[in-house]
Amino acid sequence: MAKQKPRTLSGFMELLPQRQVQFDRMVELLRSSYSRYGFTPLDTPVIEASEVLLAKAGGETEKQIYRFLKGDTDLSLRFDLTVPLAKYVALHYADLAFPFRRFQIGKVYRGERAQRGRFREFYQADIDIIGDGKLDIVNEAEIPSIIYQTFTALGLKRFQIRVNNRKILNGFYAMLGLTDKSGDIMRTVDKLEKIGPEKVAALLTGEEIGITSEQADEILKFIAIQGDNDHVLAALAGYQGRHELFDHGLEELTTVVKYLSAFGVPQTHFAVDLTIARGLDYYTGTVYETTMLDHPEIGSICSGGRYDNLAEYYTDKQLPGVGISIGLTRLFFVLEDQGYLNEEMVTAPADVLILPMTQDLAPAISFATQLRSAGVRAQLYTEQKKFKQKMTYADKIGVPYVAFLGDDEISQNAVSVKDMTTGQQETLPVSEAVSTIATKLNERMAGVEPIREPDHKA
Amino acid sequence: MAKQKPRTLSGFMELLPQRQVQFDRMVELLRSSYSRYGFTPLDTPVIEASEVLLAKAGGETEKQIYRFLKGDTDLSLRFDLTVPLAKYVALHYADLAFPFRRFQIGKVYRGERAQRGRFREFYQADIDIIGDGKLDIVNEAEIPSIIYQTFTALGLKRFQIRVNNRKILNGFYAMLGLTDKSGDIMRTVDKLEKIGPEKVAALLTGEEIGITSEQADEILKFIAIQGDNDHVLAALAGYQGRHELFDHGLEELTTVVKYLSAFGVPQTHFAVDLTIARGLDYYTGTVYETTMLDHPEIGSICSGGRYDNLAEYYTDKQLPGVGISIGLTRLFFVLEDQGYLNEEMVTAPADVLILPMTQDLAPAISFATQLRSAGVRAQLYTEQKKFKQKMTYADKIGVPYVAFLGDDEISQNAVSVKDMTTGQQETLPVSEAVSTIATKLNERMAGVEPIREPDHKA
């Protein structure tokens, strides 16, 4: 028969088993972390009607959409989890209680140009809190604590959550009479780290944007405000009283900072950063970015913010919210690439590989059943292979324990257990073997997080 | 602004939060059950190159595919998890250890005619064991025990796993010299329950199939063999020695039945059933179906079997395997429809809703943090609403506990906890409140399975 060469599309992550276990463990920890903060899981369709999904889209996003006809129906694959959330909340409004706190971890699709570390199918892990008409500012203070707890649970230590407030930025540009140009200005200011203040000033005063050099100086002075949070807030207080929006934003930022320590976010992991803007129109209050301290070049690994109107394309209801998103597939790629995945995690398909050494398999099957009842993952190996091949298999799957049941063991109602890490082997009564293995596995897995930062960074 | 009416495509399941929690709990139990048997999780792309995905497809399946061009690339959405597995194993052969045991729970797509209870996007939950060249028969005996343990873990009790062996069927038809017509015959015999033996005989001897009435009698006699497993095996022994394939199949079936009780499958939940055929070409040995005893009309809720050649369209390697699949979305629909979902499950987004009654939120935030550290899901409610509205919210999300922190409580480092089920309220020291709530929740959740069969069926 002619064979079709098997391949996986470029831009689509397909992991080998050991890596998949690590990825799934991260998803499990995200679910658990989000759940503890009272978010409920959602799972919306991957395919939506194009007219619904693209009600708001445009520009670069629209070009990247996987869009096609099935029969006469114009369909699109979701490109994020926010638009499906907006649709969901507008559609099921009457059945939901607000504030509505949901998380969703699912695949989204963007036909980006293929390049290393860029994915066309990738997981997003989102949380959002949606209010009905209003949403209290305390929610905006809780979000960084969720980011902090979540990455800490994954095993990441050296990261920082950066926070700003769009009202402060918009208010500041309004003070200077530059509201119309604020979009262009913020895009230019974004290049500060890359090209330096002089070139930024030149661009700002150049033909395209055309603000005065006094205005450019004011802007550069403003975004240069940095230091610890108290210092930044004090410097911002110097601008107070000149514009209502600015004052409101400063009040919000002060509240967010005030509650952070109550929420358990250490000062080391949090900074007010006036250079964070996060797009132009959607966000209206607090905005968040999260950077790995040793890999700032990767950009933000968790971003989001406050918005005033989640579902304006679908409903007249005012639905303000605040949310964050982790691009999980890219994050996983980066973690692997930088050697951050903890190789001490047990990634074998089973905890115990059972090798029956007799014709009658009943004792081995019974042992497997007892292990499984105790929550231990057990695989029965019954292929007709030489002993050496069986042990090679055990090594290849990386199983922590191998159990042998020969005539001697069976006659004593015992089992010989080999610890594949230490190489030690002992013969134990069956019930003792089950409890010993279960205990040792628990010890071994306690505190083993999927991420372990390389030593030289610690 | 003109509004786009929000809607979800027909044939796409989108659950309300409480139902989603129940669905997710089922997925979690499936993952846990499959893991205990030593299966490793996989997650392959939803989109594949059409030439790869459709290397084997044809007929009805091909018509249902979501297939489209993105740029010049011909893409298709996966329509099952078996073809992606075949691709995966062929592609990553050198990196895998065999037997390769994997599970995958993911969405697949089929553009079926829309009708109630039929889905175009649906979850499949599959396990497969793939051998390299050979695969021991014991794997075929282990599969029913996985089916049994999995449905039992979900809370289903009244179901039966039906097993047959394709070698027995093919051998039997070969005995009668009817190998060429076996496909047509099996399709006709499948109608037995619906149209009765006389009409089946008429069809078999009719123009289209055209076997003799003696042959038809032989067939009807054969498939009428039923009763307990020993009886069926004894009756089958009467056909022994007439065809090698039949004898081989009977030997396999006998082995599978022999090991079932060792694997812990009760006689009540297992039957040899000679009417089970499962398609025509793919399966070559043991085949499985699973039926709900009180709803046989639903058909099989978990099916599969042994095949000799998983990836023949991609590789010359002989990769035999055995696997089963649960159509999870349809199963969930049926369970809800028939009142099988356990409404006692906690489906609220949080276990505790914390209502701060003071201006300073620090004590409430601290209590939330302590609950979360203890693994209790806690939501802080800080919206500016009247007390009654807050309690209405608590009722609407179905939260088990509401915690109040007013001046009195705070001054005593205490919290008032209301059990929303009993209506009882008590004031406890904060740390005691945390441990009391955690303990009560564990008690409440112990043994609460997502499925509870209606009482009148018990």
Side-chain angles (χ1 to χ4, degrees):
Chain A
M1 183 192 295
K3 304 296 174 193
Q4 167 64 45
K5 191 170 186 289
R7 64 188 167 90
T8 299
L9 291 162
S10 111
F12 289 69
M13 182 180 271
E14 184 171 79
L15 299 170
L16 285 173
Q18 289 80 352
R19 287 283 178 241
Q20 188 67 55
V21 170
Q22 292 176 305
F23 186 92
D24 284 15
R25 178 74 183 134
M26 285 181 58
V27 170
E28 192 187 333
L29 287 169
L30 289 179
R31 287 186 68 93
S32 156
S33 177
Y34 292 168
S35 294
R36 284 191 194 185
Y37 283 82
F39 291 82
T40 198
L42 280 195
D43 179 17
T44 62
V46 168
I47 306 178
E48 301 270 6
S50 295
E51 58 177 353
V52 174
L53 197 73
L54 307 179
K56 176 185 179 177
E60 198 54 36
T61 307
E62 189 134 10
K63 270 183 270 168
Q64 296 179 348
I65 306 289
Y66 285 84
R67 181 176 182 172
F68 54 94
L69 291 173
K70 175 78 181 164
D72 298 331
T73 319
D74 184 355
L75 302 174
S76 292
L77 305 190
R78 66 186 180 203
F79 54 90
D80 71 6
L81 300 176
T82 305
V83 177
L85 172 65
K87 183 215 73 174
Y88 184 93
V89 173
L91 182 59
H92 304 292
Y93 174 84
D95 292 310
L96 304 176
F98 294 89
F100 176 58
R101 297 161 75 99
R102 85 86 177 81
F103 74 85
Q104 183 164 3
I105 301 174
K107 288 177 170 179
V108 305
Y109 297 83
R110 294 186 197 171
E112 296 202 68
R113 199 164 60 81
Q115 54 179 310
R116 187 164 187 281
R118 283 280 170 194
F119 296 92
R120 291 171 172 172
E121 174 185 74
F122 58 98
Y123 277 92
Q124 286 193 331
D126 283 21
I127 56 173
D128 285 271
I129 308 171
I130 311 299
D132 186 7
K134 283 185 183 177
L135 187 68
D136 194 81
I137 181 72
V138 175
N139 294 292
E140 288 168 57
E142 193 178 32
I143 293 283
S145 74
I146 304 173
I147 299 176
Y148 173 73
Q149 291 295 346
T150 300
F151 283 112
T152 300
L154 293 177
L156 202 65
K157 291 180 177 64
R158 294 185 41 75
F159 65 94
Q160 191 174 49
I161 304 158
R162 292 161 198 242
V163 173
N164 195 4
N165 190 299
R166 286 297 304 267
K167 292 188 181 76
I168 289 178
L169 293 182
N170 292 338
F172 172 74
Y173 290 114
M175 278 179 213
L176 301 182
L178 293 174
T179 295
D180 291 351
K181 295 182 173 177
S182 63
D184 289 334
I185 295 171
M186 285 192 250
R187 267 189 295 275
T188 309
V189 162
D190 242 10
K191 299 175 185 160
L192 186 67
E193 274 189 33
K194 219 182 276 176
I195 63 176
E198 281 171 31
K199 286 192 180 158
V200 166
L203 284 170
L204 289 176
T205 55
E207 210 171 312
E208 261 187 74
I209 304 180
I211 65 173
T212 68
S213 60
E214 288 74 25
Q215 288 171 324
D217 286 349
E218 276 270 29
I219 291 167
L220 286 169
K221 196 179 111 197
F222 181 78
I223 58 167
I225 297 172
Q226 48 186 332
D228 65 35
N229 298 332
D230 290 344
H231 175 81
V232 174
L233 291 175
L236 289 174
Y239 293 86
Q240 234 168 344
R242 289 169 59 187
H243 196 280
E244 199 187 359
L245 190 63
F246 181 94
D247 293 355
H248 188 188
L250 182 54
E251 196 186 307
E252 289 185 355
L253 185 61
T254 306
T255 304
V256 167
V257 170
K258 183 182 93 179
Y259 281 120
L260 270 173
S261 59
F263 272 115
V265 181
Q267 287 277 343
T268 45
H269 285 67
F270 177 82
V272 174
D273 183 338
L274 299 178
T275 66
I276 306 286
R278 303 287 328 144
L280 301 175
D281 301 321
Y282 188 59
Y283 293 116
T284 54
T286 311
V287 286
Y288 315 94
E289 291 195 352
T290 312
T291 44
M292 290 169 69
L293 291 179
D294 300 317
H295 292 284
E297 78 282 3
I298 285 158
S300 177
I301 57 173
C302 176
S303 315
R306 154 86 189 206
Y307 42 88
D308 279 346
N309 221 333
L310 173 72
E312 60 179 327
Y313 290 82
Y314 304 122
T315 174
D316 286 323
K317 305 250 180 250
Q318 173 89 6
L319 300 168
V322 58
I324 49 167
S325 180
I326 299 175
L328 197 56
T329 301
R330 173 159 166 77
L331 175 62
F332 190 80
F333 172 85
V334 164
L335 292 171
E336 180 180 24
D337 208 38
Q338 300 293 341
Y340 274 58
L341 294 181
N342 187 352
E343 304 297 351
E344 278 189 14
M345 248 188 81
V346 173
T347 56
D351 301 315
V352 184
L353 185 72
I354 301 169
L355 301 185
M357 318 294 272
T358 57
Q359 199 62 33
D360 179 20
L361 299 176
I365 292 173
S366 161
F367 182 55
T369 304
Q370 288 178 67
L371 285 170
R372 289 161 181 165
S373 300
V376 176
R377 302 172 307 146
Q379 178 184 346
L380 195 65
Y381 187 100
T382 57
E383 305 308 308
Q384 307 300 314
K385 299 273 183 182
K386 294 193 180 121
F387 183 75
K388 206 184 149 190
Q389 289 174 300
K390 293 178 182 177
M391 293 309 287
T392 303
Y393 179 80
D395 277 332
K396 197 164 179 188
I397 64 171
V399 71
Y401 297 97
V402 175
F404 310 97
L405 282 117
D407 284 322
D408 285 358
E409 284 87 358
I410 292 169
S411 67
Q412 304 165 48
N413 195 25
V415 57
S416 293
V417 178
K418 180 170 184 175
D419 182 325
M420 297 296 282
T421 316
T422 64
Q424 283 184 322
Q425 184 172 327
E426 54 181 341
T427 303
L428 297 168
V430 164
S431 62
E432 194 183 324
V434 172
S435 58
T436 302
I437 290 173
T439 306
K440 282 193 186 169
L441 280 168
N442 280 336
E443 284 167 11
R444 182 169 171 165
M445 287 190 276
V448 177
E449 292 136 350
I451 298 176
R452 193 173 62 178
E453 294 175 351
D455 280 346
H456 62 281
K457 306 284 185 186
Chain B
M1 184 192 294
K3 305 296 175 194
Q4 167 64 45
K5 191 170 186 291
R7 64 188 167 90
T8 299
L9 291 163
S10 111
F12 289 70
M13 182 180 271
E14 184 171 79
L15 299 169
L16 285 173
Q18 289 80 352
R19 286 284 178 241
Q20 188 67 55
V21 170
Q22 292 176 305
F23 186 91
D24 285 15
R25 178 74 183 134
M26 285 181 57
V27 170
E28 192 187 331
L29 287 169
L30 289 179
R31 288 186 67 93
S32 156
S33 178
Y34 291 167
S35 294
R36 283 190 194 186
Y37 283 82
F39 291 82
T40 198
L42 280 195
D43 179 17
T44 62
V46 168
I47 306 178
E48 301 270 6
S50 295
E51 57 177 354
V52 174
L53 197 73
L54 307 179
K56 176 184 179 178
E60 199 54 36
T61 307
E62 189 134 12
K63 270 183 269 168
Q64 296 179 348
I65 306 289
Y66 285 84
R67 180 176 182 172
F68 55 93
L69 290 173
K70 175 78 182 164
D72 297 332
T73 318
D74 185 354
L75 303 174
S76 291
L77 306 189
R78 65 185 180 204
F79 54 90
D80 71 6
L81 300 176
T82 304
V83 177
L85 172 65
K87 183 215 73 174
Y88 184 94
V89 173
L91 182 59
H92 303 293
Y93 174 84
D95 292 310
L96 303 177
F98 294 89
F100 176 58
R101 297 161 75 98
R102 85 85 176 81
F103 74 86
Q104 182 164 4
I105 302 174
K107 288 178 170 179
V108 305
Y109 297 84
R110 293 185 197 173
E112 296 203 67
R113 199 164 60 82
Q115 53 179 310
R116 186 164 187 281
R118 282 280 170 194
F119 296 92
R120 291 172 173 172
E121 174 185 74
F122 58 98
Y123 277 92
Q124 286 192 332
D126 283 21
I127 56 172
D128 285 272
I129 308 171
I130 311 299
D132 186 7
K134 284 185 183 177
L135 186 68
D136 194 81
I137 181 72
V138 175
N139 294 292
E140 288 168 57
E142 193 178 33
I143 293 283
S145 74
I146 304 173
I147 299 176
Y148 173 72
Q149 291 295 345
T150 301
F151 282 112
T152 300
L154 293 177
L156 202 65
K157 291 180 177 64
R158 293 185 42 76
F159 65 93
Q160 190 174 49
I161 304 158
R162 293 162 198 241
V163 173
N164 195 3
N165 190 299
R166 286 296 304 266
K167 293 189 181 75
I168 290 178
L169 293 182
N170 292 338
F172 172 74
Y173 290 114
M175 277 179 214
L176 301 182
L178 293 174
T179 296
D180 291 350
K181 296 182 172 176
S182 63
D184 288 334
I185 295 171
M186 285 192 250
R187 266 189 296 275
T188 308
V189 162
D190 243 10
K191 299 175 186 161
L192 186 67
E193 274 189 33
K194 220 181 275 175
I195 64 176
E198 281 170 33
K199 285 191 179 158
V200 166
L203 283 170
L204 289 176
T205 55
E207 208 171 312
E208 261 187 72
I209 304 181
I211 66 174
T212 68
S213 60
E214 288 73 26
Q215 289 171 324
D217 286 348
E218 276 269 30
I219 292 167
L220 286 169
K221 195 179 111 196
F222 181 78
I223 59 167
I225 297 172
Q226 48 186 332
D228 64 35
N229 298 332
D230 290 343
H231 175 82
V232 174
L233 291 175
L236 289 174
Y239 293 85
Q240 235 168 344
R242 290 169 59 186
H243 196 279
E244 197 186 1
L245 189 62
F246 181 94
D247 293 354
H248 188 189
L250 182 54
E251 194 186 308
E252 289 185 354
L253 186 61
T254 306
T255 305
V256 167
V257 170
K258 182 181 94 179
Y259 281 121
L260 270 173
S261 60
F263 273 115
V265 182
Q267 286 276 344
T268 46
H269 284 68
F270 176 82
V272 174
D273 184 338
L274 299 178
T275 67
I276 306 287
R278 303 285 331 142
L280 301 175
D281 301 321
Y282 188 59
Y283 293 116
T284 54
T286 311
V287 286
Y288 315 94
E289 291 195 353
T290 312
T291 43
M292 290 169 69
L293 291 179
D294 300 317
H295 292 284
E297 78 282 3
I298 285 158
S300 177
I301 57 173
C302 176
S303 314
R306 154 87 189 206
Y307 41 88
D308 279 346
N309 222 333
L310 173 72
E312 59 179 328
Y313 290 82
Y314 304 122
T315 174
D316 285 323
K317 305 248 180 252
Q318 173 89 6
L319 300 169
V322 58
I324 49 167
S325 179
I326 299 175
L328 197 56
T329 301
R330 174 159 165 77
L331 175 62
F332 190 80
F333 172 86
V334 164
L335 292 171
E336 180 181 25
D337 208 38
Q338 300 293 342
Y340 274 57
L341 294 181
N342 187 353
E343 304 298 351
E344 278 188 16
M345 248 189 81
V346 173
T347 56
D351 302 314
V352 184
L353 186 72
I354 301 169
L355 301 185
M357 318 293 273
T358 57
Q359 200 62 32
D360 179 20
L361 299 176
I365 292 173
S366 161
F367 182 55
T369 304
Q370 288 177 66
L371 285 171
R372 289 161 181 165
S373 300
V376 177
R377 302 172 307 144
Q379 177 184 347
L380 195 64
Y381 187 99
T382 57
E383 306 308 307
Q384 306 300 313
K385 298 274 183 182
K386 293 193 181 120
F387 183 76
K388 207 184 148 189
Q389 289 174 300
K390 293 178 183 178
M391 293 309 287
T392 303
Y393 179 80
D395 277 332
K396 197 164 178 187
I397 65 171
V399 72
Y401 297 96
V402 175
F404 310 97
L405 283 116
D407 284 322
D408 285 358
E409 284 87 357
I410 291 169
S411 67
Q412 303 166 49
N413 195 26
V415 58
S416 294
V417 178
K418 180 170 184 176
D419 182 324
M420 297 296 283
T421 316
T422 64
Q424 283 184 322
Q425 184 172 327
E426 54 181 341
T427 303
L428 297 168
V430 164
S431 62
E432 194 182 324
V434 172
S435 59
T436 302
I437 290 172
T439 306
K440 282 193 185 169
L441 280 169
N442 280 337
E443 285 168 10
R444 182 169 171 165
M445 287 190 277
V448 177
E449 293 136 351
I451 298 176
R452 192 173 62 177
E453 294 175 352
D455 280 345
H456 62 280
K457 306 283 186 188

